[in-house]
Amino acid sequence: MAFPAASGAAPPAPLPVVGHQFCAPYVVPLTVTKKALSISDGDFAITDANGALVLKVKGSIFSMRHRRVLLDAAGQPILSMQEKVFSMHNRWEVFRGDSSSASDLLFSVKKSSLIQFKTEMDVFLAGNTAQQVCDFKIKGNYFDRSCAFYLGDSTTMVAQMNRKFTISNVLLDRDTFVVTVFPHVDYVFIATLVVILDEVHREKYDG
């Protein structure tokens, strides 16, 4: 199901993708930190406004495909994400828990076009099998570390992402993203999109 286009106002009702429990009635600020020297190649830590760990992402070292598992602070898997093989548009699929079964598919993400000068990606929920209209869209410039997340192909923004520059980040060679998730929007869903954005663009430039 594709959500209808709307004006620039915040969503009036919860938009659960991963779960209702992840939709807060207020703005949720998150910090997504990528650990550059992680042995599993691409671990992320997601913290709240107080610096407390909320989510973490672990990579699969020996996977034939790029695969990541997103866990809660206690280490329990919430969802898994993996790149679809032989995908022209860098399509990633996201599944509930530590699954890769089609019956557990939550959503998929792909580049809007093969050749891009700015970032534009389409997000399709599992029920949107026709995929004629996206359910969410990401636009911006990833290499300036600035992207916005929209409801469908509309002007309704549901989250924003910007890079955070600090001396420690430069010295430790790590990326930190400041993410603002708007009220009623699934913050686990948005955090997952930030991780996938990094994976898609890192692969392009790291080979």
Side-chain angles (χ1 to χ4, degrees):
M1 177 192 73
F3 292 106
S7 64
L15 295 175
V17 176
V18 182
H20 279 277
Q21 69 270 35
F22 305 123
C23 299
Y26 46 82
V27 170
V28 176
L30 297 173
T31 300
V32 180
T33 304
K34 179 183 177 183
K35 303 172 185 176
L37 300 178
S38 170
I39 190 172
S40 58
D41 182 28
D43 282 5
F44 294 80
I46 296 122
T47 53
D48 64 14
N50 298 316
L53 183 69
V54 179
L55 305 164
K56 52 189 175 182
V57 178
K58 296 291 185 183
S60 181
I61 304 171
F62 302 109
S63 175
M64 292 295 290
R65 297 185 261 188
H66 289 153
R67 189 171 189 272
R68 303 284 180 263
V69 178
L70 184 142
L71 312 136
D72 64 16
Q76 295 300 308
I78 298 175
L79 57 81
S80 59
M81 59 196 95
Q82 66 184 33
E83 186 177 17
K84 191 174 177 65
V85 292
F86 308 121
S87 170
M88 294 290 289
H89 289 260
N90 294 104
R91 181 184 289 270
W92 280 71
E93 295 178 324
V94 179
F95 303 87
R96 192 175 303 281
D98 195 5
S99 175
S100 57
S101 170
S103 61
D104 290 318
L105 181 69
L106 289 169
F107 62 92
S108 61
V109 187
K110 74 175 185 69
K111 286 184 177 179
S112 301
S113 58
L114 280 174
I115 300 174
Q116 296 189 348
F117 298 101
K118 288 192 174 182
T119 299
E120 187 169 336
M121 301 191 75
D122 295 333
V123 182
F124 301 98
L125 300 182
N128 184 1
T129 53
Q131 298 192 357
Q132 295 298 309
V133 180
C134 63
D135 296 289
F136 295 88
K137 186 178 279 285
I138 307 167
K139 291 182 179 181
N141 189 330
Y142 177 83
F143 297 103
D144 288 340
R145 302 304 198 265
S146 177
C147 288
F149 305 77
Y150 296 91
L151 181 62
D153 197 3
S154 75
T155 58
T156 302
M157 194 181 298
V158 297
Q160 289 179 297
M161 179 196 86
N162 291 284
R163 189 179 188 183
K164 181 179 181 181
F165 291 95
T166 66
I167 294 174
S168 63
N169 285 350
V170 173
L171 292 175
L172 296 173
D173 187 28
R174 68 183 182 187
D175 274 336
T176 298
F177 307 103
V178 177
V179 183
T180 303
V181 183
F182 290 13
H184 307 299
V185 178
D186 190 323
Y187 67 83
V188 171
F189 167 62
I190 297 298
T192 304
L193 293 180
V194 172
V195 172
I196 291 174
L197 267 173
D198 183 82
E199 292 289 345
V200 167
H201 290 86
R202 182 177 60 84
E203 177 184 281
K204 179 180 178 181
Y205 280 83
D206 290 357

